[in-house]
């Protein structure tokens, strides 16, 4: 359940065993969150793990033992022992993925911007029409994309369908939700220009390769990262560290410094969490860069100023407040449990942790016979952790199913 | 060969400046290659179309300068049917652009490699097909070295999957939870030698009963890490009152009227697993109303319930201080006192000076590689990182895999981990070992491309033996006078990385598709 890094890693391992695997993906593409991350290499590889993820997505795309259902969700699940019976609702996508040639005409011509495509590096390539954005959902009779499509693969009469399957084991790999930055009013996301989330920054870097936005010469010169945006905050119900934000923010900071030697980066943090196994050397590298400042302080207030954002924070050792101006402020938003976890809880009869993640043992077992969970649906984790957790769950499933073959 | 084409991929333009691809193009054209092309995205659909259109059926041979052959060589080969009949794929990205900051050096190496590949084709150096003989049968047994949490977790799943497992450990006593791995054979002793290749390793273990040889297909190294204490900053007269992380239990019955000080990452970085111990121990002490002070710089809370433990500790009155300059510790009658400038509180615009008295202090943990780790690494031909921990292959691409096929790592031998992670890594290693045995490779794109030595060209300089990171090249001394000695690539050990191809001064090695 889930075609992100955890689901894909576990699928490859189970398919390698000769088992038939079905991936049920809610969205229209493989890759989950990882598909929108960017490689964070600076003067050398900083081991963010993205290439490992991308390699697995590409490898899975060509794996015939793994069937993929997109725009799909499990709507019912029953059975005490394998084989279980499950019903999967496949939402309508007017585009036939097998016929679509990814020519892009529909995306270019859609008046509502309702047509999107998955990550270009991850096959299969096909377009998806967002049923909500599409003008037809408002009762209009637009059929511009269907009329233009050279492959004639857009058909609005397609409806949702139910697929019934009988899995012998289930791996829940539904991933996480990125924290909604609008829930942090003190940081002015959505109201102050120049405040973006780290996820948006990754998207910009992945698509543009560089930052061309506000600031002199069309590039931000002074960039601030605000750590723990929403994490480590019991008042918001997030009484945990997201574990990935310090690593990604520091890697992004080094990458930005590498690409633009004139940029000045400040990272506001509570505590720096470890960046991979060679954390010590990594932090030394950060401290050796005079234009990369690590500042233990939590900003109190952000306000818009001409040409940028001002940040007010307390310099704790002096007990005074300081105001500084930046061109771009990046909120290092954390991992929150997937909003769908509560549905999974009742659908599969599993339990959740106090923080809302799926409760598992180290081998991914959930307590329910035949149901396992892996990846960031079980706890906040980075890509390496996800790969380890997913292959641990896969090993458990392989040993659980033993010599049976279906 | 008459008609030799050259195509350079500049990887989305990123290699263009560094490798001076346009002068590379001119140089190859001057040598007589035709056509010589530069493309930016050879691996994309438009790049593959470009290859088909420009070279298929038109060139006799083609030299491609692009990223590492293991990534896309088979994809590029799939573009051609009859001709070009020879294809030489040179890594100008990983082997040239990415290995040095010196642009001129990178460009000259790229030119050298492309020229050499071109020259080898021009001279039409003959290639013999790979031997069609099947790979040697693998011993479907696993040796797990180190019977700790990671090793036992891996063993338990491997046994369930039907693999015979041998646990090799120096110690006779096993940790709790070993029942999971009941059914594993045991060898108690130290490893004296590791021979052979993936699928057929031979371990020599010196036991109390003498040397025992163990045949094994795959090996899991799960030797854990060393936990010693760092006494930096503690004056010698205090040492009797300093406990290590391992000695925390001895605080249980001790009388501590003044309190206990925990020192964490003040002098050097510390793994999160130590913070868990510190926080749990602090809370235990607070239950007995003992004063607890924790000195820290960065509170690592990335473990399960870490933030909760930290908050609970603050709520229960544990004093957390974040020193500016190094704190000063002094002995006093029946205990010690600590002077520290706390950067978290200020008095009159300066960090507050805090004095804390205590009966005992807990020294920070210094995680390090186990004593025998470097010997084991040398014996097995495995890499270690700068701290002496085992180095996994390619950072984060293949967690848990060693640089040699058939050898895997789990748990603390790669760096400090907590019990949860060690267990997960053990299970994950079981998955990787199973995948290794069923031949689906490493869960990544596994190219069916292996290095091959043209025996007639090998000058026995041993460059390939020295540079192969996978210890896959051996020297075959031939069959009397019938076959001349030459380097030989063990197919079962080769990863198809192409490093030997690049390094071989005689251009005797090429990457060919594996035809079993």
């Amino acid at each position: 359940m889930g075609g992100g890094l955890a689901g894909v890693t576990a699928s490859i391992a189970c398919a390698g065993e000769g088992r038939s695997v079905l991936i049920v993906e809610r969205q229209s593409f493989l890759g989950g969150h990882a598909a929108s991350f960017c490689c964070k290499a600076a003067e050398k590889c900083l081991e963010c793990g993205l290439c490992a993820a991308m390699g697995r997505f590409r490898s899975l795309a060509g794996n015939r033992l793994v069937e993929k259902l997109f725009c799909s969700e499990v709507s019912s699940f029953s059975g005490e022992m394998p084989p279980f019976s499950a019903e999967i609702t496949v939402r309508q996508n007017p585009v036939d993925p097998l016929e679509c040639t990814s020519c892009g005409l529909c995306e270019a011509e859609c008046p509502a911007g309702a047509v999107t495509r998955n990550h270009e590096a991850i096959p299969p390539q096909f377009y998806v029409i967002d049923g909500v954005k599409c003008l037809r959902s408002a009762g209009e009779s637009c059929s511009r994309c269907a009329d233009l499509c050279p492959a004639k693969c857009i058909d609005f009469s397609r409806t949702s369908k139910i697929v019934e399957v009988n899995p012998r084991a289930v791996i829940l790999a539904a991933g996480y939700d990125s924290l909604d930055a609008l829930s942090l009013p003190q940081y002015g996301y959505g109201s102050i220009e120049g405040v973006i989330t780290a996820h948006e920054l990754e998207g910009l870097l992945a698509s543009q390769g560089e930052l061309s936005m506000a600031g002199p010469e069309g590039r931000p010169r002074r960039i601030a990262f605000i750590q723990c945006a929403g994490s480590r905050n019991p008042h918001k119900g997030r009484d945990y560290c997201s574990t990935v934000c310090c690593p990604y923010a520091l890697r992004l900071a080094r990458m930005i410094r590498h690409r633009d030697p004139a940029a000045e980066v400040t990272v506001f943090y509570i505590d720096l969490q470890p960046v991979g196994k060679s954390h010590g050397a990594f932090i030394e590298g950060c401290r050796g860069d005079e234009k990369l400042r690590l500042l233990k302080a939590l900003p109190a207030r952000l306000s818009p100023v001409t040409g940028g954002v001002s940040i007010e924070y307390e310099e704790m050792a002096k007990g005074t407040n300081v105001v500084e101006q930046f061109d771009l402020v990046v909120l290092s938003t954390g991992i929150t449990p997937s909003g769908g976890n509560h549905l999974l809880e009742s659908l599969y009869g599993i339990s959740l942790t106090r923080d809302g993640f799926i409760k598992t043992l180290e081998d991914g077992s959930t307590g329910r016979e035949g149901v396992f969970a892996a990846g960031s649906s079980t706890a906040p984790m980075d890509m390496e952790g996800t790969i380890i957790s997913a292959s641990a769950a896969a090993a458990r499933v392989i040993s659980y199913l033993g010599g049976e073959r279906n | 060969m008459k008609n030799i084409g050259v195509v350079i991929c500049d990887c989305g333009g990123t290699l263009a400046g560094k490798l001076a691809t346009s002068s590379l193009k001119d140089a190859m054209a001057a040598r007589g290659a035709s056509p010589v092309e530069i493309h930016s995205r050879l691996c994309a659909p438009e790049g593959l179309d470009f290859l088909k259109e420009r070279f298929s059926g038109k060139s006799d041979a083609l030299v491609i300068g692009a990223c590492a052959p293991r990534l896309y060589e088979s994809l590029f080969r799939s573009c051609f049917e009859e001709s070009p009949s020879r294809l030489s794929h040179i890594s100008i990205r990983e082997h040239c652009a990415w290995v040095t900051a010196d642009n001129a050096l990178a460009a000259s190496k790229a030119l050298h490699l492309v020229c050499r590949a071109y020259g080898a084709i021009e001279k039409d150096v003959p290639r013999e097909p790979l031997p069609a003989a099947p790979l040697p049968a693998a011993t479907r047994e696993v040796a797990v070295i180190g019977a700790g949490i990671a090793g036992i977790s891996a063993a338990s799943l491997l046994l369930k999957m039907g693999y015979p497992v041998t646990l090799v450990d120096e110690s006779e006593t096993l940790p709790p939870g070993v029942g999971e791995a009941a059914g594993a054979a045991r060898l108690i002793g130290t490893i004296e030698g590791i021979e052979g290749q993936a699928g057929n390793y031979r371990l020599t273990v010196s036991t109390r009963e003498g040397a025992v040889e163990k045949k094994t297909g795959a090996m899991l190294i799960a030797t854990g890490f060393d936990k010693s204490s760092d006494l930096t900053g503690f004056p010698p007269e205090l040492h009797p009152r300093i406990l290590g992380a391992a000695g925390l239990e001895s605080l249980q019955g001790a009388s501590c009227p003044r309190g206990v000080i925990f020192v964490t990452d003040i002098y050097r970085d510390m793994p999160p697993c130590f913070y868990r111990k510190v926080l749990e121990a602090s809370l235990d002490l607070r239950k007995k109303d003992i004063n607890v002070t924790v000195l820290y710089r960065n509170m690592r809370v990335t473990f399960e319930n870490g933030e909760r433990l930290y908050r609970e500790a603050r709520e229960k009155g544990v004093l957390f201080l974040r020193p500016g300059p190094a704190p000063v510790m002094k002995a006093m009658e029946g205990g010690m006192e600590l002077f520290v400038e706390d950067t978290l509180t200020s008095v009159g615009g300066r960090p507050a000076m805090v004095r804390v008295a205590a009966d005992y202090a807990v020294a920070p943990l210094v995680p390090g590689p186990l004593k025998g780790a470097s010997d084991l690494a040398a014996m097995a031909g495995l890499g270690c990182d700068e701290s002496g921990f085992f180095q996994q292959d390619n950072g984060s691409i293949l967690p848990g895999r060693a640089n040699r096929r058939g050898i895997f790592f789990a748990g603390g031998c790669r760096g400090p981990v907590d019990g949860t992670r060690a267990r997960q890594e053990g299970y994950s290693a079981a998955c990787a070992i199973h995948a290794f045995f069923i031949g689906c490779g490493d869960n990544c794109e596994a190219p069916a491309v292996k290095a091959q030595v043209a025996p007639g060209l090998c000058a026995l300089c041993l460059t390939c033996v020295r540079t192969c990171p996978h210890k896959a090249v051996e020297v075959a001394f031939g069959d009397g006078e019938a076959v001349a000695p030459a380097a030989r690539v063990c197919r079962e050990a080769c990863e198809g990385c192409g490093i030997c191809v690049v390094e071989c001064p005689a251009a005797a090695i090429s990457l060919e598709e594996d035809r079993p």
Side-chain angles (χ1 to χ4, degrees), chain B residues 259-335:
Chain B
V260 178
I261 296 170
F262 289 88
V263 180
T264 63
D265 57 343
I266 298 303
Y267 303 102
R268 56 156 83 201
D269 204 51
M270 295 238 303
C273 53
F274 181 71
Y275 292 85
R276 184 203 293 256
K277 282 204 156 172
V278 168
L279 293 175
E280 284 170 350
S282 307
L283 280 167
D284 277 348
L285 292 169
R286 287 303 300 147
K287 274 183 202 145
K288 286 180 246 161
D289 229 14
I290 295 171
N291 293 329
V292 180
T293 307
V294 177
L295 301 188
Y296 80 106
R297 286 200 201 284
N298 284 289
M299 184 56 56
R300 299 274 148 78
V301 287
T302 53
F303 49 91
E304 196 187 352
N305 278 327
E307 181 68 19
R308 262 198 198 89
L309 272 177
Y310 177 38
R311 191 164 42 76
E312 200 184 332
R314 280 174 295 165
E315 285 167 2
K316 298 279 190 238
V318 176
L319 181 62
F320 287 88
L321 299 176
R322 191 166 181 271
V328 178
M329 291 244 187
K330 285 181 187 159
M332 60 183 265
E333 180 74 36

Side-chain angles (χ1 to χ4, degrees), chain A residues 46-131:
Chain A
L46 296 181
E47 300 186 355
C48 70
L50 181 66
C51 46
M54 287 301 184
R56 282 170 170 81
F57 298 144
R58 280 197 295 267
S59 155
L60 183 92
N63 193 323
R64 287 197 204 126
L65 280 166
V66 181
E67 197 186 329
K68 300 119 204 160
L69 278 179
F70 294 101
C71 306
S72 308
E73 274 173 277
V74 174
S75 40
S76 84
F77 182 84
S78 58
E80 294 298 317
M81 294 290 288
F84 303 97
S85 49
E87 281 183 0
I88 300 159
T89 308
V90 185
R91 288 194 309 280
Q92 87 167 60
N93 174 16
V95 183
D96 182 344
L98 297 175
E99 296 292 322
C100 175
T101 58
S102 300
C103 68
L105 209 54
C106 49
E107 184 186 22
E109 295 291 331
C110 176
V115 189
T116 51
R117 193 178 68 163
N118 56 338
H119 193 288
E120 59 179 16
I122 306 170
Q125 298 280 308
F126 62 89
Y127 279 88
V128 181
I129 298 173
D130 185 326

Side-chain angles (χ1 to χ4, degrees), chain A residues 16-17 56 232 239 269 271-274 277 279 296 317-319 354-355 362-363 388 391 395 399, chain B residues 157 269 296 298-301 307-308 311 322 343 346 349-351 414 421 423-424 428 431 434 438:
Chain A
E17 249 248 320
R56 282 170 170 81
R232 304 187 67 182
D239 206 0
Y269 69 91
D271 294 293
L272 288 176
Q273 306 299 332
K277 288 219 146 71
H279 173 82
K296 185 178 167 77
K318 288 188 185 153
R354 276 188 284 177
D355 297 319
E362 289 91 341
D363 63 359
I388 287 173
S391 41
S399 75
Chain B
L157 277 191
D269 204 51
Y296 80 106
N298 284 289
M299 184 56 56
R300 299 274 148 78
V301 287
E307 181 68 19
R308 262 198 198 89
R311 191 164 42 76
R322 191 166 181 271
T343 58
S346 66
R350 287 190 46 80
R414 293 196 298 129
R421 179 65 177 251
R423 199 169 276 278
Q424 259 185 355
S428 164
C431 185
H434 181 58
I438 57 179

Side-chain angles (χ1 to χ4, degrees), chain B residues 131-137 491 516:
Chain B
L135 289 164
R491 282 161 64 214

Side-chain angles (χ1 to χ4, degrees), chain A residues 343-401:
Chain A
L343 293 174
L344 299 181
E345 185 182 20
S346 52
L347 189 59
Y348 294 98
I350 53 174
S351 34
L352 303 185
T353 65
R354 276 188 284 177
D355 297 319
F357 294 96
I358 298 174
K359 202 176 209 169
T360 60
L361 296 179
E362 289 91 341
D363 63 359
S365 15
T366 58
R368 164 98 186 242
E369 180 77 27
V371 179
F372 304 85
S376 54
S377 63
T378 63
M381 57 178 76
D382 62 3
M383 289 198 251
E384 187 185 358
T386 302
I387 291 170
I388 287 173
S389 146
S391 41
R396 182 70 187 84
V397 167
I398 290 167
S399 75
Y400 171 75
L401 295 175

